[in-house]
Amino acid sequence: MMLNDAVLSAMKRSVLCWLATVDSDGCPNVSPKEIFCAYDSSTLLIANIASPGSAGNIARNPAACVSFVDPFVQKGFKLKGKGRLVKKADKDFEPLASPLAKLAGPRFPFVSLFVIDIASVEPIVAPSYRMYPDTSESQQIESAMKTYGVRSVSP
């Protein structure tokens, strides 16, 4: 199972994911995506809200990498695989678009979506965890909050 509980949990906590594709010159192109979800244990769905560059890149070269990182914990995952664009006119659009439409609501209409068939999953971990193995997530969160000038809000 590519998308195990740890990956799914991290994905649900992420506000954005980053879709990397390859442009016509062979250069990487990275674009933020706000509406995304797991479809099954090896497929990721991403709403194409306003990404003609990513759509063109996927049409030319299906190589794709999607990453998401919690900016406070500074951990996440990198998913590599092959992407394809599914348009509204395609027969599989409706069943694939359904979970994304629920997430997007009427505010973010989309007429196509990216389907990423995942071939590999790798963790993303901030260097401090590796350089200082006794670093805890709570220490990392506290440090990130200081760096970003963020304070906790008490309920």
Side-chain angles (χ1 to χ4, degrees), residues 19-22 42-46 57-66 79-85 114-120:
L19 173 62
T21 57
V22 181
S42 62
T43 310
L44 182 70
L45 305 176
I46 303 171
N57 292 345
I58 290 281
R60 281 187 297 277
N61 182 340
C65 180
V66 178
L79 316 174
K80 291 182 181 178
K82 303 280 184 205
R84 63 186 168 93
L85 188 68
F114 300 102
V115 176
I116 311 298
D117 295 315
I118 302 162
S120 68

Side-chain angles (χ1 to χ4, degrees), residues 69-134:
V69 174
D70 180 313
F72 296 103
V73 176
Q74 298 185 8
K75 289 182 179 179
F77 289 92
K78 174 172 51 172
L79 316 174
K80 291 182 181 178
K82 303 280 184 205
R84 63 186 168 93
L85 188 68
V86 175
K87 298 176 183 174
K88 198 168 197 168
D90 296 337
K91 64 178 167 51
D92 54 346
F93 178 83
E94 287 303 323
L96 293 170
S98 180
L100 293 171
K102 288 177 188 167
L103 292 171
R107 188 167 173 220
F108 294 106
F110 58 95
V111 294
S112 66
L113 57 99
F114 300 102
V115 176
I116 311 298
D117 295 315
I118 302 162
S120 68
V121 176
E122 298 173 40
I124 297 172
V125 180
S128 57
Y129 287 108
R130 293 195 173 122
M131 293 174 68
Y132 307 100
D134 58 341

Side-chain angles (χ1 to χ4, degrees), residues 3 8 11 13 17 23 48 79 107 116 130 140 148:
L3 300 178
L8 293 172
M11 189 183 304
R13 290 190 318 270
C17 72
D23 73 13
N48 179 13
L79 316 174
R107 188 167 173 220
I116 311 298
R130 293 195 173 122
Q140 196 71 8
Y148 302 142

